[in-house]
Amino acid sequence: MEPTLLQSEAELEMLIDSINYVWILVATFLIFFMHAGFAMLEAGQVRSKNVANQLTKNLLTWSVGVTVFFLIGATVEGLVAGDGLAFQFESAASNWMDWLYGAVFAMTAATIVSGAVAGRAKLRAYVTYTFLLAAVIYPVVTGLTWAGELLAYNDVLFHDFAGGMIVHGMGGIAGLTAAWVLGPRMDRYNSDGSANVIPGHSLTFAALGTLILAFGWYGFNVGTSAIIDEGAFLGDQLGRVALTTTVAMACGAMGAGLVAWLKTGKVDTLYVANGLLAGLAAITAIPDTTAWWGAFVVGGLAGAQLPLVFSFVEQYLKIDDVCAVFPVHGSAGVLGTLLFPFVAAPGVVDSIANAFIAQLIGVAVITVWTVVATGVIWYAFKAAGQARVSPEHERDGLDVSEHGVDTYPEFGQPDVATDGGSDEIIRTDGGEPNDGQIKMVTAIVRPDRLGEIKQSLAEAGAPSLTVTNVSGRGSQPAKKGQWRGEEYTVDLHQKVKIECVVADIPAQEVVDAIREGAETGEPGDGKIFVMPVEGATQIRTGKTGPDAV
């Protein structure tokens, strides 16, 4: 029996829906993977004592936020859009996929905030804010825009293809507002208002996180486009979005690196990484409409504004935006959204003036709502004394005070061997005693000389030794370092501390052995100290005095 035309059309429609929804799910999974990028990027830009806290916030942002968006946020979005209870638990299967796609966008906006308030916000305050953002703040924005299409001027709708303003601009502005209310980290600013640089602990993590985010961003932008519509392959839109996203990303990195070089004479690594992301945030609102040359303009300007806006926020606003979330996501997202009519491909925009005003209205409404809602919430936390951790906990680091863990237990802890093994036990073969006394020989030396020192001590027949990672300052000249394009003085140098307790071998022989292995002839070789030890006890045998040593 020949299939009827109606049957063929129904089968074709089912095939198109199947392809498009599989595409949506793949894009959803890519966007979810961006959380790994955020985790690495933020962990790399905070101090080592706050890494576990930052990772925990990223994990809880997803876990708490996606649950709340399912139970509350999706319904709030429908109410704002005028659809009533548009999302219900008995919805069709396709609605489940639409919800999940919306949820990963919502969680991207939420996790941006964690980078701005790093190093001092209480975990409970941040999680509560994430709850409210997923339940109300973000759904109101999407209800006014994507779901309700309520923002317009002269019948020209506010245009945001994949969330340049709705997700990234909103998240960056929320982060800046929260950081402003919370106040800067301890020691970030001097009494005269000048800023101190507090470097993050790992550029490697920051660069890795940047590239993971860039990979996931293809799901963010290209994934927003369907593949087939009304029986036609949307190759033009897919190709345009993929091209403009890639070009803007590349130009963002180059623009930031160029401005950093013009400012400092050096191409700052972190600015290049952040600039790449700024280029992506800027193009996200308009990748479907931008001319090929417009991607160069949008990405280049987004990267170029990054060092300038970060300096303005740091130097003039005195806001401690730890991970530069405002210049990366906020101002870059606003810039790209407002550039829509000026870089659009031919035939996209009828009236540049009307389109720009529509974009300006959208940016203004989202900004005002985000600042007010975020400010009220964080001021409430602050008034209740729940916004930030105590000064003691901030000094110790949030890893220990908030989670009871140490991300890097080997760093700076007592009695830790730097070569990854247990303490070296090198038995003595005799020698002249130290007049019956026990002496402690302590040396502060360069880490790279440890191997030579151990070999020298072994040849001298030295006893057991303990090696510890330390930081110190002495006669070695201070060095200059750079973090996000700003120069700072490195006045604490990485060293290792070697401790040897001797009884039946002259302390001077140990001193000579250490000096032989440690000496380079340059400032910073270190110092050696010899001190008397009042007593010693061997735990296993109970022996005391020289016998214990």
Side-chain angles (χ1 to χ4, degrees):
M1 181 178 179
E2 292 290 329
T4 65
L5 180 62
L6 186 62
Q7 287 175 320
S8 299
E9 289 178 350
E11 290 173 355
L12 178 61
E13 184 177 350
M14 180 187 69
L15 179 62
I16 291 172
D17 285 344
S18 300
I19 293 173
N20 281 334
Y21 271 108
V22 169
W23 173 251
I24 286 174
L25 286 178
V26 171
T28 298
F29 304 150
L30 280 172
I31 298 170
F32 166 73
F33 190 58
M34 291 175 73
H35 283 271
F38 276 115
M40 292 297 97
L41 177 64
E42 294 171 10
Q45 293 182 86
V46 301
R47 302 175 76 175
S48 59
K49 64 183 180 180
N50 296 320
V51 172
N53 178 256
Q54 208 59 29
L55 297 177
T56 304
K57 284 177 180 173
N58 275 274
L59 292 167
L60 287 177
T61 295
W62 169 260
S63 304
V64 173
V66 76
T67 306
V68 172
F69 187 77
F70 173 69
L71 295 174
I72 304 173
T75 301
V76 171
E77 178 185 279
L79 291 172
V80 173
D83 297 332
L85 298 175
F87 180 78
Q88 301 177 21
F89 296 120
E90 294 80 14
S91 297
S94 61
N95 287 345
W96 297 124
M97 289 182 277
D98 290 334
W99 163 80
L100 181 57
Y101 187 60
V104 291
F105 277 79
M107 293 310 97
T108 300
T111 199
I112 291 170
V113 180
S114 68
V117 300
R120 75 272 202 203
K122 280 190 175 181
L123 182 66
R124 69 192 72 168
Y126 173 76
V127 171
T128 304
Y129 177 75
T130 298
F131 183 105
L132 295 172
L133 185 143
V136 179
I137 300 175
Y138 178 80
V140 167
V141 173
T142 53
L144 293 171
T145 52
W146 287 331
E149 297 185 338
L150 302 177
L151 302 180
Y153 177 78
N154 278 352
D155 296 326
V156 177
L157 287 174
F158 170 70
H159 181 82
D160 190 338
F161 182 71
M165 184 65 204
I166 294 170
V167 177
H168 293 278
M170 177 262 184
I173 292 168
L176 184 71
T177 306
W180 171 54
V181 176
L182 197 59
R185 289 167 290 173
M186 297 174 68
D187 304 325
R188 184 66 170 92
Y189 293 96
N190 299 313
S191 57
D192 62 358
S194 59
N196 292 315
V197 178
I198 303 179
H201 90 290
S202 176
L203 277 175
T204 305
F205 280 6
L208 174 62
T210 296
L211 294 174
I212 292 174
L213 279 171
F215 173 69
W217 223 295
Y218 283 111
F220 217 92
N221 285 8
V222 184
T224 297
S225 173
I227 301 177
I228 304 172
D229 185 36
E230 297 181 356
F233 173 55
L234 299 178
D236 178 68
Q237 185 181 83
L238 280 171
R240 182 181 298 276
V241 173
L243 184 147
T244 55
T245 296
T246 304
V247 170
M249 175 201 314
C251 290
M254 291 187 289
L258 176 61
V259 171
W261 176 66
L262 292 174
K263 285 183 64 179
T264 68
K266 294 182 173 63
V267 180
D268 185 81
T269 305
L270 191 56
Y271 268 144
V272 172
N274 287 166
L276 185 148
L277 298 178
L280 284 165
I283 199 65
T284 295
I286 55 175
D288 60 321
T289 59
T290 300
W292 67 265
W293 56 265
F296 285 85
V297 174
V298 173
L301 289 177
Q305 62 85 40
L306 174 70
L308 305 177
V309 172
F310 181 82
S311 295
F312 177 78
V313 169
E314 178 194 53
Q315 302 291 340
Y316 296 98
L317 299 183
K318 308 296 182 187
I319 298 176
D320 185 13
D321 182 356
V322 180
C323 295
V325 303
F326 180 71
V328 170
H329 302 276
S331 56
V334 169
L335 175 67
T337 303
L338 294 179
L339 285 174
F340 161 60
F342 305 105
V343 297
V348 172
V349 176
D350 293 328
S351 168
I352 291 178
N354 287 343
F356 179 74
I357 294 172
Q359 295 301 93
L360 189 61
I361 289 172
V363 167
V365 169
I366 294 170
T367 298
V368 171
W369 163 247
T370 302
V371 170
V372 171
T374 302
V376 167
I377 293 168
W378 281 96
Y379 266 119
F381 292 153
K382 193 173 184 178
Q386 296 300 314
R388 65 185 294 162
V389 299
S390 67
E392 294 76 19
H393 286 176
E394 189 172 339
R395 289 281 188 205
D396 293 341
L398 274 62
D399 290 2
V400 173
S401 63
E402 293 277 273
H403 309 284
V405 301
D406 193 339
T407 307
Y408 300 103
E410 289 92 355
F411 286 8
Q413 299 298 316
D415 302 331
V416 176
T418 58
D419 61 0
S422 59
D423 295 346
E424 299 283 334
I425 305 297
I426 308 173
R427 299 308 305 169
T428 179
D429 60 356
E432 295 295 325
N434 295 302
D435 300 325
Q437 295 183 356
I438 305 172
K439 292 189 177 180
M440 167 80 78
V441 179
T442 301
I444 310 295
V445 298
R446 299 176 185 270
D448 57 298
R449 303 300 297 174
L450 181 58
E452 289 81 357
I453 294 169
K454 288 165 62 177
Q455 180 62 35
S456 184
L457 284 171
E459 292 173 357
S464 59
L465 60 87
T466 301
V467 179
T468 309
N469 286 294
V470 296
S471 295
R473 175 173 58 193
S475 60
Q476 183 176 357
K479 297 179 181 178
K480 296 294 182 181
Q482 272 203 178
W483 180 255
R484 199 178 272 116
E486 294 186 61
E487 192 175 78
Y488 66 99
T489 301
V490 184
D491 59 351
L492 288 177
H493 305 284
Q494 201 63 36
K495 302 288 185 182
V496 292
K497 180 169 70 172
I498 298 172
E499 295 174 309
C500 296
V501 180
V502 295
D504 59 350
I505 183 172
Q508 188 58 46
E509 291 188 15
V510 176
V511 170
D512 293 341
I514 293 175
R515 187 170 184 273
E516 180 183 343
E519 185 178 6
T520 68
E522 298 293 330
D525 279 349
K527 291 183 174 63
I528 304 171
F529 306 94
V530 181
M531 296 163 284
V533 176
E534 186 173 335
T537 300
Q538 189 178 50
I539 294 175
R540 180 177 60 84
T541 63
K543 293 179 179 179
T544 60
D547 290 340
V549 177

